[in-house]
């Protein structure tokens, strides 16, 4: 077993999994404290590294694509204070950190863990029910439905419509994005047959974020919902299956065939804009048509 204890947190590796516990230091972010202890199976790891600095170093875990719903929902946009897969290491513990890295790397080699993407989540995501108040709304999720209750700062269009309830079955995607510079962040849910290009400020299926302390907590709601949606790999497989099941068209004249494919592209675009097709399904279907052209 390998263990490293720091103010920033404690990491323990028992040969099969890593247990990541956030520290109680005041500099530990609110998101990491709320997320709590994480158990990361060895099979979810793509690698581990340690970076030394003059005063402190940093341990970093790299997870396989698709293993963690939190990383998928946030699109890699979690900054260092909020990233649960980084640990600040004091300079007098550099030797311990290097030993920890060697132990994990040796286990990855012995178990022959691939570094490529996975087709199912290997981490469960945040527990439910949970509720977060940030930006212009209070977002709650009980495992079956999302509820958005607008705060007084919300735009009149949102407030006038009243609280919003989104059944999980109607949600096709979720995205969290932090505030960057003058650009506000958001938590957005893509809902079947609903436009998703409306700015978050006016979108009844989105929470607008303004860069305050609690904004990162909305990432927990995004991750909890993402963990209960079909895995991206499963959606891609479904799109491939649909494309494979399409009956072959008779061989028309080249000009007629080209026109038909253009019509098909327009139809796919309309289905994508209306929310019937997800981004992944639209991309795969479009590629299939372009190959035939």
């Amino acid at each position: 077993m390998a263990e490293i204890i720091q103010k920033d947190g404690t990491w323990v590796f028992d040969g099969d999994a890593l247990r990541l516990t956030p520290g109680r230091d005041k500099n530990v972010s609110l998101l990491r404290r709320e997320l709590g202890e994480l158990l990361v199976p060895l099979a979810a790891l793509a690698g581990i590294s340690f970076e030394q600095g003059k005063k402190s170093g940093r341990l970093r875990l790299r997870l396989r694509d698709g293993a963690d719903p939190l990383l998928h929902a946030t699109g890699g946009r979690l900054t260092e204070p909020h990233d649960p897969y980084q640990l600040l290491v004091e300079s007098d513990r550099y030797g311990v950190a290097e030993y920890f890295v060697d132990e994990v790397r040796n286990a990855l080699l012995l178990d022959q863990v691939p570094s490529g993407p996975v087709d199912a989540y290997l981490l469960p995501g945040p527990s439910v029910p949970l509720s977060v108040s940030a930006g212009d709304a209070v977002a709650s999720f009980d495992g079956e439905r999302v509820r958005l209750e607008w705060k007084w700062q919300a735009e009149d269009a949102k407030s006038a419509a009243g609280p919003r309830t989104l059944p999980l079955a109607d949600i096709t995607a979720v995205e969290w994005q932090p505030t960057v510079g003058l650009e506000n962040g958001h938590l957005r849910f893509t809902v079947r047959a609903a436009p998703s290009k409306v700015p978050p400020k006016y979108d009844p299926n989105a929470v607008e974020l303004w860069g305050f302390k609690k904004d990162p907590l909305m990432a927990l709601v995004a991750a909890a919902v993402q963990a209960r949606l079909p895995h991206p790999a499963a959606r891609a497989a479904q799109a491939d299956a649909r494309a494979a099941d399409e009956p072959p068209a008779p061989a028309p004249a080249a000009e007629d065939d080209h026109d038909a494919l253009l019509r098909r592209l327009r139809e796919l675009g309309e289905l994508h804009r209306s929310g019937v097709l997800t981004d992944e399904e639209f991309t795969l279907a479009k590629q299939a048509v372009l190959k035939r052209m």
Side-chain angles (χ1 to χ4, degrees), residues 173-188:
V174 59
E175 176 192 60
W176 173 86
Q177 188 162 314
T179 300
V180 179
L182 299 177
E183 193 74 23
N184 288 339
H186 64 260
L187 167 67
R188 189 197 296 274

Side-chain angles (χ1 to χ4, degrees), residues 15-37:
D16 296 318
L18 289 96
R19 190 176 299 275
L20 316 180
T21 306
R24 297 183 179 180
D25 189 74
K26 63 180 181 179
N27 293 323
V28 175
S29 76
L30 186 58
L31 182 144
R32 287 179 59 201
R33 292 201 299 266
E34 290 293 325
L35 187 60
E37 187 175 86

Side-chain angles (χ1 to χ4, degrees), residues 254 257-265 286-293:
D257 185 46
H258 189 269
D259 290 341
L261 293 173
L262 288 176
R263 285 195 300 272
R264 178 59 175 161
L265 283 175
K286 183 177 71 172
Q287 289 175 350
V289 174
L290 291 175
K291 285 181 180 179
R292 291 174 58 188
M293 294 179 69

Side-chain angles (χ1 to χ4, degrees), residues 213-256:
K213 184 178 179 180
K214 290 187 176 181
D215 283 8
L217 294 180
M218 281 294 180
L220 299 180
V221 179
V225 173
Q226 185 66 58
R228 290 158 179 82
L229 293 177
H231 191 274
R235 289 190 175 187
Q238 289 173 0
D240 288 341
R242 289 191 193 121
D245 288 342
E246 288 185 358
E255 184 176 352
D256 292 341

